[in-house]
Amino acid sequence: MRIVVVGAGVIGMLTAVECVRAGAQVDLVDQADIPSASATSYDRCRVVRTLHRGSPTLTMAAAHLHEDWSAMERLLGSRFYHPSGALTLMAADTGGNLAMLIEAGASVQVLSAEDISLRCPHIRFEDGTKAVFEPAAGAVLADRALLAAARWLRDQPTVRMHRNSPVTEVDGSGEVRLADGTVLTGDSVVVAAGPWSGGLLPAGLVMGLTLMRQTMLTYAATSSQAGWWGSPAVLGLGDERDAWLMPPVLGASARLSAASACRAVPEMTDHETPREWLDHLTDRFSALLTDFDAGAVTGATDAYYLTDEHGEGPLLAELGDAVWAYAACGGMSFKFAPAVARALAGRAVGRTPQPTGLDAVDQPRRFAAAHLRRRSS
């Protein structure tokens, strides 16, 4: 059996890995290098945690993600998961979120305001704030994970990699045409091209997707900022609980961002951060961190992702019997990548997929078989 995987971001590459493990031959195609620094999932740090505030379904689905990433490390033979822990700030009433974590079987601690001050002296928070600490949570160094997956796939005799090969058409029967005229044929095709997927999907599906752009800051915490080093990832910062901080781990710089730095855009352009968004995040974190130094902001990056009409992701679509499209990647896609990849590979090779706990993946939307021709997204 041969599977064609379009897109070599984290979902595409881990799906290719799982297809190989299931005994399939794989053609992995990307419009850039494999891996590519331009991929949305090629980033420094991604937080992997169980708690998803207000969502028992997502919290339950995320219960074993740290185990999934640890297992992927062992398989790929490279270290890229760091169990730094994750601290989620919230109002004084933590009961509902705590109950969700306990039901999911997660190891968890409730911290008082005094505990938070001792553990994270660099965080500003309101009186009465409490926090949930997940010691098993951590950070995936995304670029290292993608490099490890690419190395593993290159060593497999059943894998063919097609670098710098834009896809122009995907036929519902399993044919994939590249820009140079090459036609790849598979028993199944998986389209997992991240925000570029919109250019290869049926109009009826694309109409329900929104292209988002997000700004993230890179911050060089100094040796005098002792609270940054060895601290957990911190989520739920600010009055709206939408900002987060990924501390420096395994040589990576700290990363800072917030939902307020995400905005809908009509098309993908560059990755340069407009000054207004750099200033926006600088101002926000100046108010959120006690020892924030605007001069220690070493860079800013803009990334793109697709969400569904509800502003969420991921989303899986079945396009006939031979083509599967992982359409909306969303902000949460990376952390669920090992589980999503297993499910995609299972469908591609004709096996009953392992449930992920994500309704939009376990119950894909179905569309009639379509001839997908690339268009501008």
Side-chain angles (χ1 to χ4, degrees), residues 31 40 166-168 191 193-203 205-207 209-213 264-271 304-307 327 329 373-377:
Q31 64 182 346
T40 296
V167 172
T168 58
V191 179
W196 290 271
S197 295
L200 276 172
L201 297 176
L205 177 55
V206 173
M207 285 176 59
L209 302 178
T210 300
L211 181 65
M212 302 292 294
R213 180 169 179 162
V265 294
E267 61 181 349
M268 294 180 61
T269 54
D270 55 57
H271 293 267
Y304 299 87
Y305 59 93
L306 288 172
T307 65
C329 42
R373 187 181 299 275
R374 190 177 185 89
R375 52 190 166 69
S376 59
S377 54

Short mmCIF file of all heavy atoms in Angstrom, two decimals, residues 31 40 166-168 191 193-203 205-207 209-213 264-271 304-307 327 329 373-377:
data_model
loop_
_atom_site.label_atom_id
_atom_site.label_comp_id
_atom_site.label_asym_id
_atom_site.label_seq_id
_atom_site.Cartn_x
_atom_site.Cartn_y
_atom_site.Cartn_z
N GLN A 31 6.08 21.84 -0.40
CA GLN A 31 6.43 22.91 -1.34
C GLN A 31 7.78 23.55 -1.02
O GLN A 31 8.35 24.28 -1.83
CB GLN A 31 5.35 23.99 -1.34
CG GLN A 31 5.21 24.71 0.00
CD GLN A 31 4.11 25.74 -0.03
OE1 GLN A 31 3.63 26.10 -1.10
NE2 GLN A 31 3.69 26.21 1.13
N THR A 40 4.41 26.35 9.75
CA THR A 40 3.80 26.88 10.97
C THR A 40 4.26 26.11 12.20
O THR A 40 4.45 26.69 13.27
CB THR A 40 2.27 26.82 10.86
OG1 THR A 40 1.86 27.68 9.79
CG2 THR A 40 1.60 27.27 12.13
N PRO A 166 5.77 21.98 -4.99
CA PRO A 166 4.38 22.42 -4.78
C PRO A 166 3.40 21.47 -5.45
O PRO A 166 3.66 20.97 -6.55
CB PRO A 166 4.35 23.81 -5.44
CG PRO A 166 5.77 24.25 -5.48
CD PRO A 166 6.58 23.01 -5.66
N VAL A 167 2.30 21.22 -4.77
CA VAL A 167 1.24 20.37 -5.32
C VAL A 167 0.23 21.27 -6.03
O VAL A 167 -0.22 22.27 -5.47
CB VAL A 167 0.56 19.57 -4.20
CG1 VAL A 167 -0.68 18.84 -4.73
CG2 VAL A 167 1.54 18.58 -3.59
N THR A 168 -0.12 20.90 -7.25
CA THR A 168 -1.08 21.71 -8.01
C THR A 168 -2.45 21.07 -8.07
O THR A 168 -3.45 21.78 -8.21
CB THR A 168 -0.57 21.93 -9.44
OG1 THR A 168 -0.37 20.67 -10.08
CG2 THR A 168 0.73 22.72 -9.44
N VAL A 191 -3.89 15.19 2.99
CA VAL A 191 -3.51 16.59 2.80
C VAL A 191 -3.39 17.24 4.18
O VAL A 191 -4.38 17.38 4.89
CB VAL A 191 -4.53 17.35 1.94
CG1 VAL A 191 -4.12 18.81 1.78
CG2 VAL A 191 -4.68 16.69 0.57
N ALA A 193 -1.28 20.27 4.85
CA ALA A 193 -0.37 21.35 4.47
C ALA A 193 -0.54 22.61 5.30
O ALA A 193 -0.14 23.70 4.89
CB ALA A 193 -0.55 21.68 2.99
N GLY A 194 -1.13 22.48 6.50
CA GLY A 194 -1.26 23.63 7.37
C GLY A 194 -2.08 24.74 6.73
O GLY A 194 -3.06 24.48 6.02
N PRO A 195 -1.70 26.01 6.95
CA PRO A 195 -2.50 27.11 6.39
C PRO A 195 -2.52 27.11 4.86
O PRO A 195 -3.39 27.72 4.27
CB PRO A 195 -1.79 28.36 6.94
CG PRO A 195 -0.43 27.91 7.32
CD PRO A 195 -0.56 26.49 7.74
N TRP A 196 -1.57 26.42 4.22
CA TRP A 196 -1.57 26.32 2.76
C TRP A 196 -2.62 25.33 2.26
O TRP A 196 -2.92 25.29 1.08
CB TRP A 196 -0.19 25.88 2.26
CG TRP A 196 0.86 26.94 2.42
CD1 TRP A 196 1.17 27.93 1.53
CD2 TRP A 196 1.72 27.13 3.53
NE1 TRP A 196 2.19 28.72 2.03
CE2 TRP A 196 2.55 28.26 3.26
CE3 TRP A 196 1.89 26.47 4.75
CZ2 TRP A 196 3.51 28.72 4.14
CZ3 TRP A 196 2.86 26.93 5.63
CH2 TRP A 196 3.64 28.05 5.32
N SER A 197 -3.20 24.53 3.17
CA SER A 197 -4.22 23.56 2.77
C SER A 197 -5.40 24.24 2.10
O SER A 197 -6.06 23.64 1.24
CB SER A 197 -4.72 22.76 3.98
OG SER A 197 -3.69 21.96 4.53
N GLY A 198 -5.69 25.48 2.50
CA GLY A 198 -6.85 26.17 1.94
C GLY A 198 -6.81 26.28 0.44
O GLY A 198 -7.86 26.40 -0.20
N GLY A 199 -5.62 26.24 -0.14
CA GLY A 199 -5.51 26.32 -1.59
C GLY A 199 -5.79 25.02 -2.31
O GLY A 199 -5.81 24.98 -3.54
N LEU A 200 -6.02 23.94 -1.56
CA LEU A 200 -6.25 22.63 -2.18
C LEU A 200 -7.53 21.97 -1.69
O LEU A 200 -7.70 20.78 -1.87
CB LEU A 200 -5.07 21.70 -1.87
CG LEU A 200 -3.85 21.82 -2.78
CD1 LEU A 200 -2.70 20.98 -2.22
CD2 LEU A 200 -4.17 21.38 -4.20
N LEU A 201 -8.43 22.73 -1.12
CA LEU A 201 -9.63 22.15 -0.54
C LEU A 201 -10.87 22.62 -1.29
O LEU A 201 -10.87 23.69 -1.91
CB LEU A 201 -9.74 22.53 0.94
CG LEU A 201 -8.61 22.02 1.84
CD1 LEU A 201 -8.79 22.54 3.26
CD2 LEU A 201 -8.54 20.50 1.83
N PRO A 202 -11.96 21.84 -1.24
CA PRO A 202 -13.19 22.24 -1.91
C PRO A 202 -13.73 23.56 -1.34
O PRO A 202 -13.58 23.84 -0.14
CB PRO A 202 -14.16 21.09 -1.60
CG PRO A 202 -13.31 19.96 -1.16
CD PRO A 202 -12.09 20.54 -0.55
N ALA A 203 -14.38 24.33 -2.18
CA ALA A 203 -14.89 25.63 -1.76
C ALA A 203 -15.85 25.49 -0.57
O ALA A 203 -15.86 26.33 0.34
CB ALA A 203 -15.59 26.33 -2.93
N LEU A 205 -15.72 23.52 1.86
CA LEU A 205 -14.97 23.36 3.10
C LEU A 205 -14.23 24.64 3.46
O LEU A 205 -14.22 25.08 4.61
CB LEU A 205 -13.99 22.19 2.96
CG LEU A 205 -13.06 21.90 4.14
CD1 LEU A 205 -13.87 21.68 5.43
CD2 LEU A 205 -12.22 20.65 3.85
N VAL A 206 -13.62 25.27 2.46
CA VAL A 206 -12.84 26.49 2.70
C VAL A 206 -13.71 27.61 3.24
O VAL A 206 -13.27 28.43 4.05
CB VAL A 206 -12.13 26.92 1.40
CG1 VAL A 206 -11.44 28.27 1.58
CG2 VAL A 206 -11.12 25.88 0.97
N MET A 207 -14.97 27.66 2.81
CA MET A 207 -15.87 28.72 3.28
C MET A 207 -16.01 28.73 4.79
O MET A 207 -16.29 29.77 5.39
CB MET A 207 -17.25 28.55 2.63
CG MET A 207 -17.29 28.97 1.16
SD MET A 207 -18.91 28.64 0.42
CE MET A 207 -19.97 29.62 1.47
N LEU A 209 -13.59 28.04 6.91
CA LEU A 209 -12.28 28.20 7.54
C LEU A 209 -11.86 29.66 7.56
O LEU A 209 -12.20 30.42 6.66
CB LEU A 209 -11.23 27.37 6.79
CG LEU A 209 -11.49 25.87 6.68
CD1 LEU A 209 -10.39 25.20 5.87
CD2 LEU A 209 -11.60 25.24 8.07
N THR A 210 -11.12 30.02 8.58
CA THR A 210 -10.61 31.39 8.72
C THR A 210 -9.10 31.33 8.86
O THR A 210 -8.57 30.55 9.67
CB THR A 210 -11.21 32.09 9.95
OG1 THR A 210 -12.63 32.14 9.81
CG2 THR A 210 -10.67 33.51 10.08
N LEU A 211 -8.40 32.15 8.07
CA LEU A 211 -6.95 32.25 8.17
C LEU A 211 -6.60 33.25 9.27
O LEU A 211 -7.06 34.38 9.27
CB LEU A 211 -6.36 32.70 6.84
CG LEU A 211 -4.84 32.83 6.77
CD1 LEU A 211 -4.17 31.48 6.94
CD2 LEU A 211 -4.41 33.46 5.45
N MET A 212 -5.77 32.79 10.21
CA MET A 212 -5.37 33.62 11.34
C MET A 212 -3.87 33.88 11.31
O MET A 212 -3.09 33.06 10.82
CB MET A 212 -5.73 32.92 12.66
CG MET A 212 -7.20 32.59 12.83
SD MET A 212 -8.25 34.05 13.01
CE MET A 212 -7.67 34.71 14.58
N ARG A 213 -3.49 35.03 11.84
CA ARG A 213 -2.08 35.40 11.96
C ARG A 213 -1.80 35.76 13.41
O ARG A 213 -2.59 36.49 14.02
CB ARG A 213 -1.78 36.58 11.04
CG ARG A 213 -0.34 37.08 11.06
CD ARG A 213 -0.10 38.05 9.92
NE ARG A 213 1.28 38.55 9.93
CZ ARG A 213 1.87 39.12 8.88
NH1 ARG A 213 1.18 39.27 7.75
NH2 ARG A 213 3.11 39.55 8.96
N ALA A 264 -7.64 37.74 12.28
CA ALA A 264 -8.01 37.16 10.99
C ALA A 264 -7.42 38.02 9.87
O ALA A 264 -7.43 39.25 9.95
CB ALA A 264 -9.52 37.09 10.86
N VAL A 265 -6.89 37.34 8.84
CA VAL A 265 -6.31 38.04 7.70
C VAL A 265 -6.84 37.41 6.42
O VAL A 265 -7.22 36.24 6.40
CB VAL A 265 -4.76 37.98 7.73
CG1 VAL A 265 -4.22 38.77 8.92
CG2 VAL A 265 -4.27 36.53 7.78
N PRO A 266 -6.87 38.17 5.31
CA PRO A 266 -7.43 37.63 4.07
C PRO A 266 -6.52 36.67 3.34
O PRO A 266 -6.99 35.81 2.59
CB PRO A 266 -7.69 38.89 3.24
CG PRO A 266 -6.70 39.90 3.75
CD PRO A 266 -6.57 39.60 5.21
N GLU A 267 -5.19 36.79 3.55
CA GLU A 267 -4.26 35.94 2.82
C GLU A 267 -2.93 35.87 3.55
O GLU A 267 -2.63 36.70 4.41
CB GLU A 267 -4.03 36.46 1.40
CG GLU A 267 -3.43 37.87 1.37
CD GLU A 267 -3.23 38.38 -0.04
OE1 GLU A 267 -3.37 37.58 -0.98
OE2 GLU A 267 -2.93 39.58 -0.19
N MET A 268 -2.13 34.86 3.19
CA MET A 268 -0.79 34.74 3.73
C MET A 268 0.15 35.64 2.94
O MET A 268 0.15 35.62 1.71
CB MET A 268 -0.31 33.29 3.65
CG MET A 268 -1.09 32.35 4.52
SD MET A 268 -0.49 30.66 4.39
CE MET A 268 1.19 30.84 4.94
N THR A 269 0.92 36.45 3.66
CA THR A 269 1.90 37.30 3.00
C THR A 269 3.28 36.97 3.57
O THR A 269 3.81 35.91 3.33
CB THR A 269 1.53 38.77 3.16
OG1 THR A 269 1.35 39.07 4.56
CG2 THR A 269 0.24 39.10 2.42
N ASP A 270 3.83 37.88 4.36
CA ASP A 270 5.15 37.63 4.94
C ASP A 270 5.01 37.23 6.40
O ASP A 270 3.92 37.11 6.93
CB ASP A 270 6.01 38.90 4.83
CG ASP A 270 5.32 40.10 5.47
OD1 ASP A 270 4.99 40.02 6.66
OD2 ASP A 270 5.10 41.11 4.77
N HIS A 271 6.17 36.99 7.03
CA HIS A 271 6.20 36.63 8.44
C HIS A 271 6.80 37.74 9.30
O HIS A 271 7.06 37.54 10.48
CB HIS A 271 7.01 35.33 8.63
CG HIS A 271 6.35 34.14 8.03
ND1 HIS A 271 5.51 33.30 8.75
CD2 HIS A 271 6.39 33.64 6.78
CE1 HIS A 271 5.08 32.33 7.95
NE2 HIS A 271 5.60 32.51 6.76
N TYR A 304 0.97 31.69 10.79
CA TYR A 304 -0.40 31.56 10.29
C TYR A 304 -0.97 30.21 10.67
O TYR A 304 -0.25 29.22 10.80
CB TYR A 304 -0.43 31.70 8.76
CG TYR A 304 0.07 33.01 8.23
CD1 TYR A 304 1.43 33.22 7.97
CD2 TYR A 304 -0.81 34.06 7.97
CE1 TYR A 304 1.89 34.42 7.47
CE2 TYR A 304 -0.36 35.27 7.46
CZ TYR A 304 1.00 35.44 7.21
OH TYR A 304 1.45 36.64 6.72
N TYR A 305 -2.29 30.17 10.81
CA TYR A 305 -2.98 28.90 11.00
C TYR A 305 -4.43 29.05 10.57
O TYR A 305 -4.95 30.18 10.47
CB TYR A 305 -2.87 28.42 12.45
CG TYR A 305 -3.44 29.37 13.49
CD1 TYR A 305 -4.76 29.25 13.93
CD2 TYR A 305 -2.65 30.37 14.05
CE1 TYR A 305 -5.28 30.11 14.89
CE2 TYR A 305 -3.17 31.24 15.01
CZ TYR A 305 -4.48 31.10 15.43
OH TYR A 305 -5.00 31.95 16.38
N LEU A 306 -5.07 27.93 10.30
CA LEU A 306 -6.48 27.92 9.92
C LEU A 306 -7.33 27.49 11.11
O LEU A 306 -6.95 26.59 11.86
CB LEU A 306 -6.74 26.95 8.77
CG LEU A 306 -6.24 27.34 7.38
CD1 LEU A 306 -6.41 26.17 6.42
CD2 LEU A 306 -6.97 28.57 6.86
N THR A 307 -8.47 28.11 11.28
CA THR A 307 -9.45 27.65 12.26
C THR A 307 -10.77 27.38 11.55
O THR A 307 -11.00 27.87 10.44
CB THR A 307 -9.69 28.71 13.36
OG1 THR A 307 -10.29 29.86 12.76
CG2 THR A 307 -8.40 29.11 14.01
N ALA A 327 -7.77 19.86 7.80
CA ALA A 327 -8.01 21.20 7.27
C ALA A 327 -7.65 22.32 8.24
O ALA A 327 -6.80 23.15 7.95
CB ALA A 327 -9.47 21.33 6.84
N CYS A 329 -5.84 23.66 11.35
CA CYS A 329 -4.81 23.24 12.28
C CYS A 329 -5.03 23.87 13.65
O CYS A 329 -4.83 23.24 14.68
CB CYS A 329 -3.42 23.53 11.74
SG CYS A 329 -3.21 25.12 10.93
N ARG A 373 -7.88 21.38 -7.30
CA ARG A 373 -6.88 22.12 -8.08
C ARG A 373 -6.40 23.30 -7.24
O ARG A 373 -7.20 24.01 -6.64
CB ARG A 373 -7.49 22.63 -9.39
CG ARG A 373 -6.46 23.27 -10.32
CD ARG A 373 -7.16 23.77 -11.58
NE ARG A 373 -7.79 22.70 -12.32
CZ ARG A 373 -7.16 21.93 -13.21
NH1 ARG A 373 -5.87 22.12 -13.43
NH2 ARG A 373 -7.81 20.98 -13.84
N ARG A 374 -5.08 23.48 -7.21
CA ARG A 374 -4.51 24.53 -6.37
C ARG A 374 -4.98 25.90 -6.84
O ARG A 374 -5.02 26.20 -8.01
CB ARG A 374 -2.97 24.48 -6.42
CG ARG A 374 -2.33 25.40 -5.39
CD ARG A 374 -0.81 25.25 -5.44
NE ARG A 374 -0.18 26.04 -4.38
CZ ARG A 374 0.07 25.59 -3.17
NH1 ARG A 374 -0.27 24.37 -2.84
NH2 ARG A 374 0.65 26.36 -2.27
N ARG A 375 -5.33 26.73 -5.86
CA ARG A 375 -5.70 28.11 -6.14
C ARG A 375 -5.07 28.98 -5.06
O ARG A 375 -4.61 28.48 -4.05
CB ARG A 375 -7.22 28.27 -6.12
CG ARG A 375 -7.83 27.71 -4.88
CD ARG A 375 -9.35 27.65 -4.97
NE ARG A 375 -9.88 26.81 -3.92
CZ ARG A 375 -9.87 27.12 -2.63
NH1 ARG A 375 -9.38 28.25 -2.24
NH2 ARG A 375 -10.37 26.31 -1.74
N SER A 376 -5.04 30.26 -5.28
CA SER A 376 -4.45 31.14 -4.27
C SER A 376 -5.31 31.12 -3.03
O SER A 376 -6.54 31.08 -3.11
CB SER A 376 -4.33 32.57 -4.81
OG SER A 376 -5.61 33.06 -5.16
N SER A 377 -4.65 31.13 -1.84
CA SER A 377 -5.40 31.05 -0.60
C SER A 377 -5.39 32.38 0.11
O SER A 377 -4.79 33.33 -0.33
CB SER A 377 -4.77 29.99 0.31
OG SER A 377 -3.40 30.24 0.49
#
